[in-house]
Amino acid sequence: MYGTVLASALLAALQSEGTPYTPYYDAAWVMVTAGTAALAHGYAHHMATHRPGSGLHRWRQLAWALADEWPVVIACWPTVALLVTAGVMGWAEENVTCAGLMLNAALLFGWGTFAALRVGYRRGAAVAVGAADAAIGVVIAVANAVIK
């Protein structure tokens, strides 16, 4: 969820506002930011939970904490794929931003519902969780519309 919200916020924030549209540049920034966020979150988690031990043990724990952050990066891939496709196809920025924000809201709904079902929620409650997750994406889209 975090990676999809991050990708949505970046997609909204990277609008060109009168300068030439650069979807490849935007895609690169989404990936760089996702990677940086994953590393920072993994490191923070490691520092908050690591236990005393040998230097090798601490490095191993850090490596595992960083590896556990892969979903943040993977969750940005649909947005990156959309931006790369937009560059190849020459799509207009406004359409790409709108489609990306709607795609990410749908992904938030789907992943939230799936995760809730997987941990034992009943269908109705799982859909409510998915809707709450999607609402975060909708808030980003609305904020983008109001701010721009």
Side-chain angles (χ1 to χ4, degrees), residues 50-117:
H50 86 280
R51 294 169 183 45
S54 69
L56 180 61
H57 179 69
R58 283 193 300 272
W59 282 107
R60 190 175 301 126
Q61 285 179 321
L62 175 60
W64 281 110
L66 295 176
D68 284 343
E69 297 300 320
W70 66 268
V72 172
V73 176
I74 301 298
C76 291
W77 285 2
T79 301
V80 169
L82 177 66
L83 288 166
V84 170
T85 303
V88 170
M89 303 298 287
W91 293 340
E93 180 179 24
E94 299 80 24
N95 297 338
V96 173
T97 300
C98 182
L101 293 174
M102 289 189 306
L103 169 67
N104 288 343
L107 288 171
L108 287 168
F109 175 79
W111 288 332
T113 302
F114 175 75
L117 287 170

Side-chain angles (χ1 to χ4, degrees), residues 1-2 4 71 106-134:
M1 181 174 157
Y2 178 71
T4 304
L107 288 171
L108 287 168
F109 175 79
W111 288 332
T113 302
F114 175 75
L117 287 170
R118 189 147 191 237
V119 298
Y121 280 76
R122 293 177 190 250
R123 285 186 184 161
V127 169
V129 168
D133 289 353

Side-chain angles (χ1 to χ4, degrees), residues 2-57:
Y2 178 71
T4 304
V5 170
L6 179 66
S8 293
L10 287 166
L11 184 63
L14 288 170
Q15 284 190 296
S16 61
E17 295 298 317
T19 60
Y21 180 44
T22 55
Y24 301 120
Y25 176 83
D26 293 356
W29 268 113
V30 170
M31 287 309 300
V32 166
T33 305
T36 303
L39 289 173
H41 189 262
Y43 181 72
H45 182 73
H46 168 71
M47 293 305 294
T49 62
H50 86 280
R51 294 169 183 45
S54 69
L56 180 61
H57 179 69

